[in-house]
Amino acid sequence: MATRPETAKKILLRWMYGSMALMGVFYSWFVVAAAMDGRASPPVMLAVLVSLGGVLVFYCLILRDAYDDRPLPAVKLAVSALLTAAAVGLQTLSSPVDGGTWESVAYIWLASATLYLPLWSIVGLGTALTAGLAVYASTTTDLSWQGSLMTYLLSALLWPAATWIWCWLWRTIRDAHDGQAAKARLAVSEERLRFARDLHDLLGHSLSVITLKSELSAKLATKDAGRAASEMSEVRRLAAESLVEVRVAVDGYRSLDLDAELAGVRAALEAAGARCTIEARADELPPPARTLLAWAVREGATNVLKHSRATRCSITIDGGVLEMRNDGVHAPAAGTGSGLRGLAERMAIAGGSFSATPTPAGEFVLRAEVRA
């Protein structure tokens, strides 16, 4: 399954491809119309169409490179600049299109260059291009230089801004996803470190004492059997106490707090773009039942994030009954995952019940019941 940044990238790229295709059709229509009216010869028309297609294709390629953070595409920028000059130059010589619309093709190249060239160079290129086109339009058409200047100035601002926003939007989505992934990895690392510290604190002293007493017992075995037996009894006692402490620590890690889990699930789902509503009435439940429901909430939220494109999720806890309902299920589940199977087994051992099934309305309902 594609990640959310990959999906966002595909949407943005297809949006870009579609926009360029529509623009190509728009400009091509003017070129063909000019040729049909006798204002351009077929060879000129063909050359203009080829140049136009090249400008739009290289714009897409350069913008796609910007999405992937590749090195400066100097060759593509240079070829695109030559094609842009050819398209605008052929229009200037043959005048296949009247008015100032066609010259705005030059700003497509300026927009692609905005992603790589320094700001001062873009400002200089934009100023020179705008001034030159405004002077040309005012001398070859009925438009005043003020009107031409405003038209081209608007293109000089909108095209680079739109292109920059395209890339900025993608990079923002990608960085947000990377940030969430980094936070998750950091949380796991911190938990491992905490568990390692706890094990060291629990077992470090006990194991050191056990080692010393074992060595002492080995030395006393041939000299003082009674004292050696006493020391070994102490070793057994320390080992049993250490085992109990480890079990308590592990059980503590296995237990979950229901309120904290609900808050964490809400934050995770809303960060993923799903509106989460929670109604919980579980204050009277005993701690084991609350822990079981907390595990069900965690597994249910994991299922929502991994296997659906949910936009809303509701969590209801009434006594010992939990129900999680989410949308975004577009196909029947291929089978119950290992997480849900494990949760069902845990519920059954505790005397509860568990079910997780999709509905014909495109929702997925997880229901768990524990002894109150």
Side-chain angles (χ1 to χ4, degrees):
M1 179 181 294
T3 63
R4 293 182 185 271
E6 291 173 349
T7 301
K9 180 181 177 180
K10 290 180 180 178
I11 292 174
L12 290 172
L13 286 175
R14 288 172 183 172
W15 179 22
M16 176 189 66
Y17 296 152
S19 300
M20 292 301 101
L22 288 176
M23 183 163 294
V25 172
F26 176 75
Y27 283 132
S28 297
W29 169 253
F30 280 104
V31 176
V32 174
M36 294 174 63
D37 292 341
R39 289 177 287 153
S41 63
V44 172
M45 179 192 71
L46 181 60
V48 171
L49 289 176
V50 170
S51 300
L52 170 65
V55 171
L56 298 180
V57 168
F58 274 96
Y59 174 80
C60 294
L61 295 175
I62 293 171
L63 187 56
R64 190 179 65 182
D65 288 347
Y67 281 136
D68 295 334
D69 289 334
R70 295 178 181 175
L72 172 66
V75 175
K76 294 177 184 176
L77 279 173
V79 173
S80 179
L82 293 175
L83 292 171
T84 302
V88 176
L90 288 170
Q91 186 275 337
T92 302
L93 295 175
S94 60
S95 298
V97 181
D98 294 331
T101 303
W102 177 256
E103 290 87 343
S104 61
V105 173
Y107 291 107
I108 297 177
W109 178 85
L110 182 66
S112 60
T114 303
L115 301 174
Y116 294 97
L117 300 183
L119 179 61
W120 62 267
S121 62
I122 295 299
V123 172
L125 287 170
T127 301
L129 184 61
T130 300
L133 291 177
V135 171
Y136 168 75
S138 63
T139 57
T140 57
T141 66
D142 295 334
L143 295 175
S144 63
W145 69 267
Q146 293 92 341
S148 301
L149 182 62
M150 290 302 298
T151 300
Y152 293 125
L153 184 60
L154 187 63
S155 296
L157 293 175
L158 291 181
W159 265 105
T163 302
W164 185 85
I165 290 174
W166 246 331
C167 286
W168 173 83
L169 182 60
W170 151 245
R171 289 168 181 168
T172 299
I173 296 172
R174 182 194 59 190
D175 292 345
H177 181 271
D178 291 345
Q180 290 178 348
K183 288 174 65 177
R185 290 193 298 269
L186 181 61
V188 171
S189 298
E190 290 178 348
E191 187 66 14
R192 287 174 176 171
L193 289 174
R194 186 164 74 92
F195 191 72
R197 287 195 300 268
D198 289 351
L199 283 180
H200 178 271
D201 294 340
L202 288 172
L203 298 179
H205 174 72
S206 298
L207 291 178
S208 298
V209 175
I210 288 173
T211 301
L212 292 175
K213 287 186 173 293
S214 298
E215 292 175 353
L216 178 60
S217 299
K219 294 177 180 179
L220 294 174
T222 57
K223 299 179 180 180
D224 191 344
R227 186 179 173 187
S230 175
E231 293 293 339
M232 288 306 299
S233 297
E234 184 69 13
V235 167
R236 286 196 299 271
R237 184 186 67 80
L238 288 172
E241 290 180 354
S242 299
L243 181 60
V244 171
E245 290 176 347
V246 170
R247 285 175 176 172
V248 170
V250 172
D251 287 339
Y253 278 95
R254 287 177 179 171
S255 65
L256 296 178
D257 181 72
L258 179 58
D259 294 332
E261 200 62 32
L262 288 172
V265 164
R266 184 202 294 272
L269 291 175
E270 292 183 348
R275 183 171 59 89
C276 182
T277 59
I278 297 176
E279 296 181 9
R281 294 181 294 275
D283 294 337
E284 303 299 325
L285 291 177
R290 291 175 61 88
T291 298
L292 280 174
L293 292 183
W295 278 110
V297 169
R298 170 178 288 190
E299 184 60 33
T302 301
N303 202 56
V304 172
L305 293 172
K306 290 177 62 177
H307 304 298
S308 76
R309 298 180 180 273
T311 60
R312 56 181 175 81
C313 178
S314 63
I315 303 175
T316 304
I317 301 177
D318 188 3
V321 180
L322 162 71
E323 182 177 285
M324 291 185 65
R325 184 181 296 268
N326 65 275
D327 64 351
V329 180
H330 302 297
T336 304
S338 59
L340 294 180
R341 285 198 301 270
L343 183 59
E345 293 171 359
R346 182 178 299 190
M347 288 289 179
I349 292 173
S353 62
F354 176 82
S355 64
T357 57
T359 66
E363 293 185 329
F364 192 88
V365 179
L366 182 150
R367 193 176 188 277
E369 184 175 356
V370 297
R371 291 180 177 179

